[in-house]
Amino acid sequence: MSAPDLQPIGVFDSGVGGLSVLREIRARLPAESLLYCADSGYAPYGERPIEEISARSLELGAFLLARNAKALVVACNTATAAGVKAMREAWPDLPVIGMEPAVKPATAATQSGTVGVLATVGTLASAKFAALLDSFGQDVRVVTQPGVGLVELVEHGELDTPTARDLLQVHLAPLLAAGADVIVLGCTHYVFLRPAIEAIVGPAVKVIDTGAAVARQLERRLCASRLLADGTQPPRVTQFWCSGDTRQVGAVIDRLWGAAGAPHPLPPSHSFRSRSVLKEALP
Ligand code: DGL
């Protein structure tokens, strides 16, 4: 086994969205090796039962720990809301970094007094998000909008197509009509739609996300645990795994990350019911 500081950092998301966090980590911690799991075969997580997302988060965490990860980053707001507590209970000595919509900085930045949050149904319905609003949403108006369909767009590499722009228009209109001058991207996938979003909302509206803050928090935790790579050892690597169609997901990873080579296949989930069973169970 390698020295702890040479072990990789494990990162996962319901798909390719967490690459927006991975790139912040890569920029901040260039000496670290990174393992990334894109659970695209089961995306989107946002409308799935909390218990299933939590169980899948434990599966993916265990998968990354079996590959010697020294820390885990849940690069998914939805999986953090559903599963980070169970992960911290399962691995109490491990740095497990989660993420949440940037409501706190948004409330500090707004001039109009209205903040918009675009996130998945799962994140917006979570107890964690309710607690976030209780802590930071008291002095401003927070208007929320579920970004139904947006994760699927990014999973298909549709970042700035007419379809993407039309759907964004639909989701952003209520936030703009409410007077929001700061819009929080509360889903890591949405960060890849930022140019299209900014074109719709215009320069007077600030668009913010949490990726850079997560990378800083990861650095602090690794530093406190004396796990930071010092950069004097052999060059770092970045490795990818995915569920679903390896070739299709690989093509999107190449587009969003740069040539990464074909991702390795993830073992199938024991936590999620199949999509067809899920559809039957939905109202
Ligand atoms: N990237 C995930 C997030 O930040 C998307 C969740 C989903 O698949 O619905 O919430």
Side-chain angles (χ1 to χ4, degrees):
M1 187 179 286
S2 52
D5 60 345
L6 298 181
Q7 291 173 231
I9 296 162
V11 182
F12 75 88
D13 176 45
S14 64
V16 295
L19 294 172
S20 63
V21 180
L22 197 73
R23 74 183 175 195
E24 299 288 350
I25 295 172
R26 171 51 74 227
R28 183 143 199 112
L29 302 172
E32 300 289 347
S33 287
L34 305 175
L35 313 177
Y36 183 86
C37 293
D39 206 12
S40 300
Y42 301 98
Y45 279 7
E47 286 134 68
R48 290 180 180 275
I50 283 186
E51 306 71 39
E52 292 184 14
I53 303 171
S54 178
R56 181 57 170 167
S57 301
L58 288 170
E59 272 181 14
L60 292 172
F63 177 88
L64 290 162
L65 290 179
R67 274 142 199 88
N68 214 16
K70 63 183 174 185
L72 296 176
V73 178
V74 186
C76 176
N77 293 264
T78 312
T80 299
V84 81
K85 187 165 173 280
M87 292 173 71
R88 289 181 178 141
E89 282 166 8
W91 303 297
D93 298 327
L94 185 81
V96 180
I97 315 298
M99 52 197 314
E100 62 187 17
V103 172
K104 184 182 175 191
T107 57
T110 181
Q111 304 279 316
S112 69
T114 300
V115 162
V117 180
L118 191 60
T120 67
V121 171
T123 296
L124 295 177
S126 68
K128 233 173 176 315
F129 186 69
L132 191 63
L133 290 188
D134 275 349
S135 304
F136 303 110
Q138 298 298 337
D139 301 328
V140 300
R141 186 156 76 111
V142 179
V143 188
T144 60
Q145 175 67 31
V148 177
L150 297 179
V151 166
E152 290 90 329
L153 282 179
V154 177
E155 285 296 315
H156 289 96
E158 282 210 42
L159 308 183
D160 207 358
T161 59
T163 312
R165 285 195 289 273
D166 286 351
L167 190 56
L168 283 170
Q169 188 78 50
V170 168
H171 289 321
L172 292 167
L175 302 179
L176 295 175
D181 65 346
V182 181
I183 291 181
V184 176
L185 303 183
C187 167
T188 54
H189 280 76
Y190 303 170
V191 177
F192 289 112
L193 298 167
R194 181 193 284 271
I197 290 171
E198 287 180 339
I200 292 170
V201 301
V205 175
K206 203 170 166 173
V207 179
I208 59 176
D209 71 89
T210 333
V214 167
R216 287 197 298 275
Q217 172 67 358
L218 172 64
E219 183 180 38
R220 278 193 292 270
R221 289 294 306 276
L222 291 177
C223 201
S225 308
R226 298 182 186 280
L227 290 172
L228 261 188
D230 68 6
T232 57
Q233 297 296 323
R236 80 291 185 282
V237 294
T238 309
Q239 285 177 280
F240 296 88
W241 284 262
C242 77
S243 55
D245 181 339
T246 315
R247 191 180 298 199
Q248 193 254 322
V249 180
V252 180
I253 292 176
D254 278 352
R255 175 148 174 228
L256 301 180
W257 180 261
H264 308 285
L266 273 173
S269 167
H270 300 296
S271 308
F272 287 137
R273 290 178 290 168
S274 72
R275 179 58 72 186
S276 55
V277 174
L278 181 77
K279 275 215 170 99
E280 281 160 26
L282 290 173

